[in-house]
Amino acid sequence: MTPSAASRIAVVTGASSGIGAATARQLAAAGYRVVLTARRKDRIEALAEELTAAGGQATAYALDITDRVAVDEFASAFKTVGVLVNNAGGALGADPVATGDPADWRQMYETNVIGTLNVTQALLPALTASGDGTVVVLSSTAGHGTYEGGGGYVAAKHAEHVLAETLRLEIVGTPVRVVEVAPGMVRTDEFALTRFGGDEEKAAKVYAGVAEPLTADDVAETITWAVTRPSHVNIDLLIVRPRAQASNTKIHRDV
């Protein structure tokens, strides 16, 4: 489906790698003019060049979504925005609640929740002005069930889920949809590695024995499908897991 002229701009946060980069590629292929945001300027600039060379439209904007002044300055450039994909986030550590690092908890909350709040608030007027806006919140199955060693990340993702659910209630009747996509186990180059502070052995154990975890492209395709539904169709919540994962704690491993 080709997006309408009013909704052609799609902003993707955390677009420097993983699901964010994959989503940017698929939205560009679907006809959107994609605005790539992330802190790593070199990566989003390279991606913008890649998308442009492939015939798409893309621009890069270095942005820390936890910096509200910077976010407001970024948002001021837009009169209308059709799609906002709140993808930036991440997990830090896997310690139990008793010994978890409060600094990690705080950083996860700032990035996953406050960052999503900052960008959504700043761009909501432009999304409304488009006459056909969509806010996507990329949460996680961690936002719908807990697991040992995940307290800080689970708490942040539960908050992000509630943010999306509450926003949908509060803006009903406006021309803006609120979509939540909650992936389960996704194997990307950075998620688990970042969570375990660069420890490759610990990161590899997350996926050990799982034949086919989700890929970034799998999730990006899901996001793009939800965004390109007819305007009157809202995908409130879509939980997507690999077949090998029945829940956050029940995973089939060939070991």
Side-chain angles (χ1 to χ4, degrees), residues 80-195:
T80 65
V81 170
V83 177
L84 165 61
V85 180
N86 286 297
N87 164 74
L92 294 173
D95 296 320
V97 172
T99 58
D101 186 343
D104 286 346
W105 282 56
R106 186 174 294 108
Q107 185 173 337
M108 284 187 283
Y109 196 89
E110 284 286 338
T111 304
N112 291 281
V113 186
I114 303 302
T116 295
L117 177 67
N118 283 341
V119 183
T120 301
Q121 285 183 338
L123 287 178
L124 193 56
L127 286 154
T128 305
S130 75
D132 186 18
T134 303
V135 176
V136 178
V137 174
L138 190 75
S139 63
S140 166
T141 54
H144 300 270
T146 192
Y147 56 91
E148 293 168 288
Y153 182 62
V154 167
K157 286 301 182 181
H158 270 73
E160 200 172 15
H161 160 64
V162 170
L163 185 159
E165 192 172 50
T166 306
L167 178 64
R168 190 181 303 115
L169 293 172
E170 292 172 343
I171 65 171
V172 67
T174 71
V176 179
R177 302 180 293 184
V178 181
V179 175
E180 179 186 354
V181 176
M185 179 181 282
V186 185
R187 184 164 199 166
T188 64
D189 292 337
E190 296 187 343
F191 180 84
L193 199 61
T194 299
R195 182 170 204 167

Side-chain angles (χ1 to χ4, degrees), residues 215-230:
T215 67
D217 285 334
D218 292 329
V219 181
E221 185 175 353
T222 300
I223 293 169
T224 303
W225 175 81
V227 165
T228 55
R229 294 311 84 208

Side-chain angles (χ1 to χ4, degrees), residues 24-25 28 33-34 36 44-60:
R25 290 186 178 100
R33 180 161 71 86
V34 182
L36 314 167
I44 54 174
E45 286 181 342
L47 180 56
E49 290 178 6
E50 172 197 321
L51 298 180
T52 301
Q57 299 181 72
T59 56

Side-chain angles (χ1 to χ4, degrees), residues 19 23 42 61 71 75 94 100 123 151 168 172 194 235 244 250:
I19 294 170
T23 300
D42 57 333
Y61 190 103
V71 169
L123 287 178
R168 190 181 303 115
V172 67
T194 299
I235 308 300
K250 182 70 173 181

